[in-house]
Amino acid sequence: MVVVPGWFTIEKSFELDGVSHELTELPAGHKCRRNHGHNYVITLTLSAADLDETGFVTDFGDLRPFREHLQDTYDHRRLNDVVSFHPTAELLAQHLGSWFIGHVEPEIHGRLVSVRVAETSSASATWIRGGQA
């Protein structure tokens, strides 16, 4: 078998239900300035140039600490009460990426590439590590 060099990529999604926020920095009258909620889907993308000894970029089970952090910190909560920044999807994606890099990545084989925060099935924001587009 000929092995062609390249990168391996995986994605894992996590659901957050009943999360609300107020985007108070928006102009008066903007509908998102009012308290409103979403059932978020957070998707991590991880990659590696080579696979671990079991043939994985990262075992999905090794992402459990991230899932637990999401559930314990954000699920059924008002984001304005749990974060110190203007809780847009873009900034939430960046914040979650930073948390993942500091708390989960040191213990796994793969490397975080991006975090996508979907507010609906047709609206999402993605933070890409290192500003790559």
Side-chain angles (χ1 to χ4, degrees):
M1 173 170 91
V2 176
V3 177
V4 178
W7 284 84
F8 297 93
T9 302
I10 62 169
E11 290 185 346
K12 176 67 175 163
S13 295
F14 305 86
E15 296 181 3
L16 285 175
D17 296 323
V19 178
S20 71
H21 64 161
E22 298 168 21
L23 300 178
T24 57
E25 294 181 20
L26 294 176
H30 192 290
K31 70 179 185 175
C32 293
R33 185 179 170 100
R34 298 187 303 266
N35 187 42
H36 63 286
H38 301 286
N39 290 326
Y40 289 100
V41 177
I42 312 298
T43 303
L44 302 178
T45 302
L46 291 94
S47 70
D50 58 348
L51 302 177
D52 70 12
E53 62 280 352
T54 60
F56 292 145
V57 169
T58 296
D59 186 326
F60 289 124
D62 292 340
L63 303 178
R64 181 176 296 125
F66 183 73
R67 181 189 51 137
E68 291 171 351
H69 173 68
L70 291 176
Q71 295 297 314
D72 293 346
T73 308
Y74 306 101
D75 198 55
H76 287 85
R77 303 277 172 95
R78 182 176 169 268
L79 289 178
N80 302 73
D81 295 337
V82 295
V83 299
S84 61
F85 54 86
H86 184 60
T88 63
E90 293 87 343
L91 291 173
L92 182 59
Q94 179 185 43
H95 176 74
L96 293 173
S98 296
W99 189 92
F100 185 93
I101 290 166
H103 293 87
V104 179
E105 192 172 89
E107 306 300 320
I108 63 173
H109 178 74
R111 181 174 182 213
L112 183 69
V113 174
S114 66
V115 178
R116 184 174 65 240
V117 174
E119 294 181 339
T120 69
S121 62
S122 63
S124 65
T126 301
W127 172 80
I128 300 171
R129 185 178 192 161
Q132 304 162 6

